[in-house]
Amino acid sequence: MDKRKVYLDNNSTTPLDPRVLDVMFPFLKEKWGNPNNIHVWGREAREAVETARENIKRMINCRDGNVYFTSGGTESNNWALKGIAFANIDKGKHIITTKIEHKCVLNTCKWLEKQGFEVTYLNVDREGFIDFDELEDALRKDTILVSIMLANNEIGTLEPVREACELVKDKSNAYFHTDACQAIGKMEVDVESLGVDLMTISAHKFYGPKGIGALFIRNGVKIDPLLHGGGQEKNMRSGTENVAGIVGMGKAAELVMKELDADKEKLRRFQKMIIEEILEKVKRTHLNGPSDLEKRLPGNVNFSVEGVEGESIVMMLDDYGIAVSTGSACSSKQLIPSHVLMAIGLKPEVAHGSVRISAGRFNTDEDIAYFLEVFPGVISKLRSISPLWQG
Amino acid sequence: MSELYSEKLIEHFRNPKNAGEIKDADVRVTVGNPVCGDVMTFTMKVRREKDKEIIEDIKFKTFGCAAAIASSDILAELAKGKTIEEAKTLSYKDIVRELGGLPPVKVHCTQMAVDGLKKLIEEYERKKKRNHC
Ligand SMILES: Cc1ncc(COP(=O)(O)O)c(C=O)c1O
C-alpha cells in the first residue's frame, strides 16, 4: 500500500494547480517566442503575457496603476524598498516597517541602513498586530516609505493595512507598500480598497509556479528600477520575460477569481477544526497568532507545544507522510528561533516548540482527519522521551 | 558532510533503543538549556568486574531536534559495554561517523551528547571518591 501523503505546508509553497501546468506547457514546448519581437512568434508570446497581466490586475482590482512581472516575492520586495528609497532620496531617508516582515523585507532594510537610510521596525503585540499610535509616532517629515505586510507567513496575522495606509496618507507624504504574498489566493485582496501604492505578489503561494511574481505600482509613484537592461516591462524591469511562468501566474489568478469563495470557506473550516481539536486533545498546547479567526489568514495554524522541540515534530510527522513547518531554531541555519515568534514575546523555549500547519486548495476532509488522528500520538511519543515533560 | 539527515540518523530518531531512565542509576546528569532548544538528561549504571568498571547501561531523555535525539541514542549505544576509561576517549566524531554524517549546523547537538557522557563520568568519579573517604 502506498504511504499516505498529506501536504499541510501551503504557507511555504502551494502545489501547482494542474490547470495551470496545462496552460504553461505550450509556452515551454512550441510557443517559445520572445514577446519583444514583432514577428508571429513574438506576437503570440506578447499576447499571452498581456492576457496574464490583465487577469492579475483584475484579481487585485488594479484600476490606477500597473503590475510588473518579477522573479517572485523576494525580488518584488527588494524592488519596492530599494526602488522607492533611491528614487526619493531628495525627500528623505526614513523607512518604517515591522519586526515580523519576511526576511526579504527585513534584510533589504538592513542593507538600506548600511547605505545610509534609517529604518524604524514597529513592534507587534502578542497576536502579531501593529499598534496605530506607535505607527503614528514613528512617522516623520522625512519618512518616504511604510511597508507593512498584509498577512504574516508564520502566525497568520492579518495586519490592518487599510487603516494603517489611511493613517500614513493622512499624516505624511510617505508611500505605502504591502507584501501580499500570503494573502493572495486565500482571501480578497483589493488594492483600491486597501489604498496602497505598491503591493508584492508571488505566484507559488497561490497554486502558480515558483520564480515568478509581480509588483503592483500605482500611477504616479516615483520608483527606480531594480534591474537595468533592455527596457522590458515599460523600462521598469529589464530581462526577457519568463513567458511560461507569467502565463501560469495569469491562469492561477483566473482560478483564484473563480474559486476564492469556495477555497476560503474550506480553509476557514479546516483551520477551525485543527485549532479546536488539537487544543482540546493535546494538553499544554497554545495557539500562536490571532485567536479571532476573522483576523487570521485562512488555513494557517501555529501552535507551541510544551515539552517538545519543533523540528522533531516536523520529522516525526514526515514519517507519517504529513508535511508541516516549524519556527524552531533547529530548523534554521542561525540556531535562533524565528524572529516572528520572538517579536510576539514568546520565550525561546516555547518558540522552539512551535509548529505551523497550513492548509490549501487541494486538502480534503480526509487529509485533516488523518492529521488529527496522527498528531496527538506523535506529541505523546516525543514527550515520553523529553526531560522537560512530566506527564 | 551532507546537508540532509542520513537514513541511519532518521532510524535512530524514529526508534531510539535507549530512551528512558534507569531507575536505580548510579548517576544522573543534565546538559543543555531549554532556551537554546536542546536539553539532554542521561542516567548511567556501572558494574565492576575485577578491577574494571564497565558501563552496563545508559539511557537518555532528550528535548531537541532529530539530530539531538539520534545523537543521544548513538552515544548510549557506543558507550554501553565500554569501560569508563574507554568511554572517556569517545568524541563527537565517533558519533557523526556512526550516524553516517551530519549537517554541519547540527554538530553542536552531537557535541552536547558527548558533553553529557563526560559529565556522567565526572559525576561517577566524584561520587566514587566521596564514598571512599
Ligand atoms: C510573506 C512573504 N513574503 C515574501 C516571500 C518570498 O517570496 P518568493 O519565494 O516568491 O521569493 C514569501 C515566501 O517565501 C512570503 O511568505
Side-chain angles (χ1 to χ4, degrees):
Chain A
M1 198 182 87
D2 263 358
K3 192 160 95 172
R4 196 174 173 126
K5 276 191 163 172
V6 172
Y7 186 77
L8 286 169
D9 200 12
N10 287 270
N11 291 161
S12 290
T13 192
T14 51
L16 187 70
D17 193 301
R19 295 165 291 182
V20 169
L21 180 62
D22 283 348
V23 299
M24 288 174 71
F25 210 57
F27 289 89
L28 293 162
K29 207 170 172 203
E30 64 266 357
K31 303 185 185 180
W32 35 258
N34 183 333
N36 303 295
N37 291 336
I38 56 167
H39 47 57
V40 63
W41 280 271
R43 291 201 306 273
E44 185 175 57
R46 172 56 55 196
E47 204 173 306
V49 166
E50 296 315 320
T51 305
R53 196 186 318 273
E54 285 314 309
N55 275 335
I56 293 158
K57 287 172 77 168
R58 238 180 324 123
M59 173 178 72
I60 61 169
N61 192 28
C62 163
R63 296 159 185 276
D64 173 33
N66 209 348
V67 301
Y68 301 91
F69 292 109
T70 67
S71 65
T74 300
E75 184 189 326
S76 294
N77 283 339
N78 269 265
W79 180 16
L81 291 156
K82 295 175 187 172
I84 292 290
F86 284 99
N88 296 279
I89 252 177
D90 54 325
K91 291 195 219 114
K93 295 182 94 175
H94 180 236
I95 294 167
I96 298 173
T97 187
T98 79
K99 289 189 174 161
I100 63 165
E101 298 298 311
H102 191 270
K103 285 279 174 171
C104 61
V105 168
L106 292 177
N107 286 335
T108 299
C109 285
K110 277 199 196 132
W111 182 83
L112 284 168
E113 285 181 288
K114 280 199 233 154
Q115 312 308 312
F117 292 88
E118 224 185 302
V119 183
T120 301
Y121 300 91
L122 298 175
N123 291 303
V124 294
D125 66 15
R126 287 202 70 88
E127 292 196 334
F129 294 107
I130 57 152
D131 178 70
F132 289 121
D133 292 337
E134 196 188 340
L135 171 60
E136 190 171 339
D137 289 346
L139 285 169
R140 310 192 318 212
K141 267 210 173 68
D142 62 337
T143 306
I144 47 176
L145 176 68
V146 177
S147 179
I148 298 175
M149 72 201 316
L150 199 48
N152 182 269
N153 45 305
E154 289 189 41
I155 56 173
T157 311
L158 299 182
E159 296 297 345
V161 165
R162 189 166 58 84
E163 295 79 354
C165 184
E166 216 171 82
L167 175 76
V168 168
K169 298 278 150 197
D170 201 33
K171 307 273 175 185
S172 78
N173 293 315
Y175 289 124
F176 199 105
H177 165 251
T178 191
D179 174 357
C181 285
Q182 289 291 339
I184 305 265
K186 311 249 163 62
M187 54 187 267
E188 295 80 15
V189 177
D190 176 332
V191 288
E192 283 313 310
S193 104
L194 290 172
V196 297
D197 300 303
L198 305 112
M199 187 172 82
T200 290
I201 311 173
S202 174
H204 75 96
K205 307 283 187 187
F206 60 100
Y207 319 100
K210 289 163 197 51
I212 185 78
L215 183 64
F216 156 75
I217 305 177
R218 193 173 289 284
N219 287 335
V221 169
K222 205 172 151 211
I223 183 167
D224 279 345
L226 185 66
L227 300 185
H228 301 88
Q232 289 88 347
E233 295 291 280
K234 298 195 189 336
N235 219 3
M236 294 291 272
R237 201 280 188 181
S238 287
T240 301
E241 293 84 346
N242 171 358
V243 177
I246 290 170
V247 168
M249 184 170 174
K251 181 69 182 182
E254 183 195 314
L255 294 172
V256 164
M257 288 186 273
K258 269 196 208 126
E259 299 177 5
L260 182 65
D261 289 346
D263 281 356
K264 190 175 148 191
E265 196 273 327
K266 189 170 88 168
L267 295 188
R268 281 255 181 264
R269 190 162 58 81
F270 288 166
Q271 181 177 40
K272 194 160 177 282
M273 279 165 72
I274 294 170
I275 293 174
E276 284 176 358
E277 194 156 330
I278 296 301
L279 288 181
E280 192 197 307
K281 271 196 185 163
V282 185
K283 60 183 170 180
R284 286 164 64 190
T285 292
H286 315 279
L287 183 69
N288 296 320
S291 48
D292 176 356
L293 297 190
E294 288 301 314
K295 295 180 178 169
R296 185 169 191 126
L297 179 66
N300 167 285
V301 179
N302 190 309
F303 295 122
S304 276
V305 184
E306 285 184 39
V308 290
E309 194 280 329
E311 196 228 64
S312 65
I313 304 176
V314 172
M315 285 290 297
M316 190 79 69
L317 285 172
D318 183 56
D319 232 29
Y320 287 91
I322 297 172
V324 301
S325 278
T326 175
S328 130
C330 266
S331 72
S332 77
K333 297 198 165 54
Q334 299 105 3
L335 300 175
I336 37 173
S338 120
H339 64 283
V340 177
L341 300 178
M342 294 291 95
I344 59 169
L346 290 197
K347 294 196 195 112
E349 58 268 40
V350 178
H352 286 304
S354 81
V355 49
R356 179 187 70 186
I357 301 119
S358 48
R361 176 184 286 162
F362 297 104
N363 287 123
T364 61
D365 281 89
E366 288 74 30
D367 289 348
I368 306 304
Y370 179 64
F371 170 79
L372 292 173
E373 181 191 314
V374 168
F375 190 78
V378 162
I379 300 303
S380 305
K381 182 167 176 193
L382 289 167
R383 278 176 171 172
S384 77
I385 63 164
S386 167
L388 302 185
W389 185 254
Q390 268 82 40
Chain B
M1 268 186 243
S2 142
E3 290 296 320
L4 292 171
Y5 287 153
S6 67
E7 270 306 311
K8 181 112 187 252
L9 186 150
I10 293 170
E11 186 47 36
H12 276 276
F13 162 69
R14 200 184 279 160
N15 296 308
K17 295 202 173 59
N18 305 292
E21 340 179 46
I22 305 171
K23 287 282 171 273
D24 57 340
D26 294 312
V27 274
R28 152 192 299 274
V29 300
T30 299
V31 286
N33 182 333
V35 174
C36 306
D38 296 286
V39 180
M40 301 174 179
T41 63
F42 291 98
T43 45
M44 175 171 81
K45 194 155 180 59
V46 178
R47 87 169 176 270
R48 287 180 152 273
E49 242 173 53
K50 294 181 194 144
D51 55 345
K52 279 196 191 138
E53 294 161 302
I54 294 167
I55 298 176
E56 182 164 291
D57 200 9
I58 291 190
K59 289 211 180 301
F60 75 90
K61 277 198 166 186
T62 291
F63 165 85
C65 59
I69 292 171
S71 295
S72 308
D73 195 44
I74 285 277
L75 177 99
E77 198 164 293
L78 289 180
K80 250 195 283 186
K82 285 200 168 39
T83 64
I84 292 284
E85 289 310 312
E86 286 166 346
K88 281 182 184 169
T89 67
L90 274 178
S91 92
Y92 80 91
K93 286 185 189 148
D94 299 311
I95 299 185
V96 172
R97 191 175 323 117
E98 196 63 27
L99 285 173
L102 197 66
V105 294
K106 298 290 186 180
V107 168
H108 75 281
C109 303
T110 300
Q111 185 57 51
M112 186 176 289
V114 173
D115 290 346
L117 177 64
K118 269 207 193 107
K119 208 168 162 191
L120 275 176
I121 295 175
E122 278 166 22
E123 191 66 20
Y124 174 75
E125 295 189 327
R126 212 167 50 78
K127 256 188 159 171
K128 201 171 64 173
K129 239 188 227 161
R130 206 170 43 208
N131 292 345
H132 277 256
C133 289

